[in-house]
Amino acid sequence: MVMFLRHFAVVSLIFFPPIFSQFAGLSDVSISQDIPIEGEITIPSRARAQEHDSSTLNESIRRTIMRDLKAVGRKFMHVLYPRKSNALLRDWDLWGPLILCVTLALMLQKSSIDGKNDGGGPEFAEVFVIIWFGAVTITLNSKLLGGNISFFQSLCVLGYCILPLNIAMLICRLLLLAGQGPINFMIRLFVVLLMFAWSVVASTAFLADSQPPNRKALAVYPVFLFYFVISWMILTFTP
Amino acid sequence: MAAADELAFHEFEEATNLLAETPDAATTSQSDELTSREHVAVVVGSGIGYGAEVGEEEDDKTSLLQEEKPQPRFWTFDYYQSFFDVDTSQVLDRIKGSLLPHPGHNFVRHHLRNRPDLYGPFWICATLAFVLAVTGNLTLVLAQRRDPSIHYSPQFHKVTIAGITIYCYAWLVPLALWGFLRWRQGTRERMGLYTFLETVCVYGYSLFVFIPTVVLWLIPVQWIQWLFGALALALSAAGLVFTLWPVVREDTRLVAAALLSTVVLLHALLALGCKLYFFQPLPLDHVVPAPQATPPSPNVLLPSSIQPMTTS
């Protein structure tokens, strides 16, 4: 073993210097001017990006969570006061829709003590499936009709525009604490209708622009149906 | 004659170059069983009759030769995008056409014009399923208003059942019908055969008339409900029959009659099933046996409403 190493050292001393001299010769040849280099050599900016990534890695958890929460909250504001801005579309995220969907599905659970579900209200999984598969179907429909909105942007908008209906559900649950009755029902109907209209208006403010003008109604109708079904689930909720 | 032959042959070659990327071209243009070039030129020129035998959706693409566009494959997004190539006005026009059938008014030829779409059938079925569940629930609410002893619950499972039933009907029955018509047609080249998508379109748009009918079924008067149901069934089935008549007319009398009566029967079964399942006639006056017969737990809603049907 030691003999082999010695021989290897001798061989390397003999052969490597010529190889190095070959490479030394090559260093005189400037290749970069003759052969165009393809791709991006963005080493300085990558170093900066790495610094940026490591800075978010090193920051406190509270700051990370607050940053995401602030983004979600900003989008909530955009939904509540729908303006034709692109903030919702540009930085899409699915945290908000998830929070809203889970909250709505939890609120739609019956608070019965015996825990029996007599074919009554929707299960948690049913609400979840309806919201997410409904949103996916509407997005696919919108893209098939030739809309130029991306898949996740559309999911983001549809999910965030459930916020008014969440507020309606909250109000309905509070109203139902006061007992049921025809007046109670009329107030609940009014609130749900109002929030349903708000949802539809908010989502069409974002989605309708992405469709060619002769197909806007075709793309908006499924949104209307989607929020109608959710409103129906909210209205027929009995504790 | 030789010049004419050469001309025909060149047409054929150009057509094969244009269609070179579609699988149909391989079967029509390069087969050696075709005897005369004139036959081949005619076949390539009018894609409808021959194309129906070779490919399903490519037969309405006589415009393909003018557009010089390769047919997208079924795993690409563009393939499905071609089925949604409709405008709002076209969809509304097709709905209107399905609502007002009259003899000689072929839905496929007049309204679809060989451009079937999937938007109409899909969303009409979805709307019908949700409207059925919602109005069925509303009927229960209104019945409870009249008679507080009936237990009300949202009955959410009915949405699932409605959806599955409607979608299965609107997609499997056209599949069976299309398969049957293809089998009967055999190898005869006829222009009358509809593609699978056109059959789905006809069925989907014919279901539209049930949507307002289901809403009108909220009126709790029995004979009005049956009247509206019969009216809707008549309109819908008439649309189907008038569309299918030109295709089956060339077949034997027996098969034509059997096919049309089967179509109408299935449609009637669907309407009847929806009416009976979602709008069970709840008794107005004599509900005394029902609440006493059933235990106080609320999870026997359906049996409790079926019982009055059997006792009354």
Side-chain angles (χ1 to χ4, degrees), chain A residues 147-158:
Chain A
N148 59 356
I149 193 172
S150 98
F151 183 77
F152 285 109
Q153 281 173 352
S154 173
L155 274 188
C156 168
V157 167
L158 287 168

Side-chain angles (χ1 to χ4, degrees), chain B residues 30-91:
Chain B
Q30 271 130 37
S31 77
D32 292 329
E33 287 101 21
L34 297 171
T35 50
S36 63
R37 292 189 199 124
E38 287 82 8
H39 176 72
V40 167
V42 163
V43 160
V44 171
S46 71
I48 294 181
Y50 201 78
E53 194 167 329
V54 176
E56 293 86 24
E57 285 76 43
E58 285 81 32
D59 61 353
D60 68 5
K61 303 296 187 290
T62 49
S63 55
L64 177 68
L65 292 176
Q66 288 110 32
E67 289 171 6
E68 300 190 15
K69 197 167 52 175
Q71 190 74 6
R73 297 279 191 246
F74 70 89
W75 56 80
T76 60
F77 190 70
D78 293 337
Y79 181 77
Y80 299 103
Q81 207 163 17
S82 62
F83 303 144
F84 281 77
D85 196 13
V86 279
D87 295 339
T88 313
S89 55
Q90 284 176 341
V91 171

Side-chain angles (χ1 to χ4, degrees), chain B:
Chain B
M1 194 55 193
D5 273 356
E6 283 180 22
L7 280 176
F9 187 74
H10 285 314
E11 264 181 24
F12 171 52
E13 274 200 339
E14 273 174 13
T16 55
N17 290 338
L18 289 171
L19 292 173
E21 293 168 26
T22 68
D24 309 322
T27 57
T28 60
S29 60
Q30 271 130 37
S31 77
D32 292 329
E33 287 101 21
L34 297 171
T35 50
S36 63
R37 292 189 199 124
E38 287 82 8
H39 176 72
V40 167
V42 163
V43 160
V44 171
S46 71
I48 294 181
Y50 201 78
E53 194 167 329
V54 176
E56 293 86 24
E57 285 76 43
E58 285 81 32
D59 61 353
D60 68 5
K61 303 296 187 290
T62 49
S63 55
L64 177 68
L65 292 176
Q66 288 110 32
E67 289 171 6
E68 300 190 15
K69 197 167 52 175
Q71 190 74 6
R73 297 279 191 246
F74 70 89
W75 56 80
T76 60
F77 190 70
D78 293 337
Y79 181 77
Y80 299 103
Q81 207 163 17
S82 62
F83 303 144
F84 281 77
D85 196 13
V86 279
D87 295 339
T88 313
S89 55
Q90 284 176 341
V91 171
L92 290 175
D93 175 59
R94 290 171 187 195
I95 291 176
K96 272 201 289 266
S98 78
L99 283 177
L100 306 165
H102 51 266
H105 170 95
N106 192 335
F107 183 75
V108 172
R109 298 292 170 225
H110 285 182
H111 288 272
L112 293 189
R113 282 176 221 269
N114 297 343
R115 292 175 57 93
D117 69 303
L118 276 182
Y119 178 90
F122 184 78
W123 287 110
I124 290 177
C125 292
T127 312
L128 186 59
F130 283 122
V131 165
L132 265 177
V134 165
T135 46
N137 207 355
L138 261 180
T139 318
L140 199 55
V141 168
L142 293 176
Q144 199 208 17
R145 214 75 359 165
R146 284 194 305 275
D147 172 30
S149 63
I150 298 178
H151 174 79
Y152 164 76
S153 70
Q155 296 181 317
F156 197 72
H157 62 282
K158 290 200 165 175
V159 172
T160 328
I161 295 177
I164 293 177
T165 317
I166 304 276
Y167 272 101
C168 282
Y169 180 80
W171 292 81
L172 293 182
V173 172
L175 182 68
L177 181 67
W178 172 76
F180 181 76
L181 285 177
R182 281 280 295 259
W183 173 62
R184 289 300 300 180
Q185 196 205 30
T187 54
R188 287 170 285 174
E189 294 170 19
R190 261 208 320 263
M191 299 259 307
L193 187 63
Y194 302 141
T195 69
F196 171 60
L197 271 189
E198 285 169 349
T199 325
V200 166
C201 258
V202 169
Y203 263 88
Y205 281 105
S206 75
L207 284 178
F208 178 82
V209 73
F210 284 113
I211 296 178
T213 314
V214 166
V215 174
L216 284 173
W217 274 346
L218 276 175
I219 304 172
V221 182
Q222 280 290 314
W223 65 268
I224 289 188
Q225 287 181 350
W226 287 109
L227 179 68
F228 281 134
L231 200 64
L233 178 65
L235 271 178
S236 183
L240 284 177
V241 165
F242 294 145
T243 308
L244 287 175
W245 177 244
V247 178
V248 298
R249 152 176 74 195
E250 290 127 9
D251 218 333
T252 65
R253 200 55 93 72
L254 181 64
V255 170
L259 183 69
L260 289 177
S261 53
T262 314
V263 161
V264 172
L265 190 67
L266 281 174
H267 224 65
L269 276 178
L270 179 78
L272 200 65
C274 288
K275 165 96 176 52
L276 288 180
Y277 182 69
F278 293 100
F279 297 89
Q280 282 156 354
L282 296 166
L284 297 177
D285 298 326
H286 45 282
V287 294
V288 175
Q292 290 174 356
T294 61
S297 77
N299 69 347
V300 284
L301 170 72
L302 286 179
S304 76
S305 50
I306 286 175
Q307 271 190 2
M309 274 172 66
T310 53
T311 56
S312 62

Side-chain angles (χ1 to χ4, degrees), chain A residues 59-109:
Chain A
E59 72 179 5
S60 62
I61 295 178
R62 194 180 83 95
R63 187 129 53 106
T64 313
I65 293 181
M66 286 312 292
R67 190 177 54 236
D68 282 334
L69 278 181
K70 277 204 199 109
V72 169
R74 218 175 313 139
K75 293 203 187 70
F76 281 170
M77 285 300 126
H78 274 289
V79 169
L80 288 179
Y81 304 107
R83 288 182 301 267
K84 280 205 195 317
S85 76
N86 284 335
L88 247 189
L89 292 182
R90 230 184 6 242
D91 326 309
W92 59 267
D93 74 278
L94 292 179
W95 281 114
L98 183 67
I99 296 173
L100 290 172
C101 176
V102 169
T103 321
L104 186 64
L106 282 177
M107 286 200 281
L108 275 172
Q109 296 302 299

Side-chain angles (χ1 to χ4, degrees), chain A residues 185-197:
Chain A
F185 178 74
M186 294 308 289
I187 302 178
R188 275 190 292 141
L189 178 68
F190 174 71
V191 166
V192 169
L193 275 179
L194 184 69
M195 294 300 175
F196 162 66

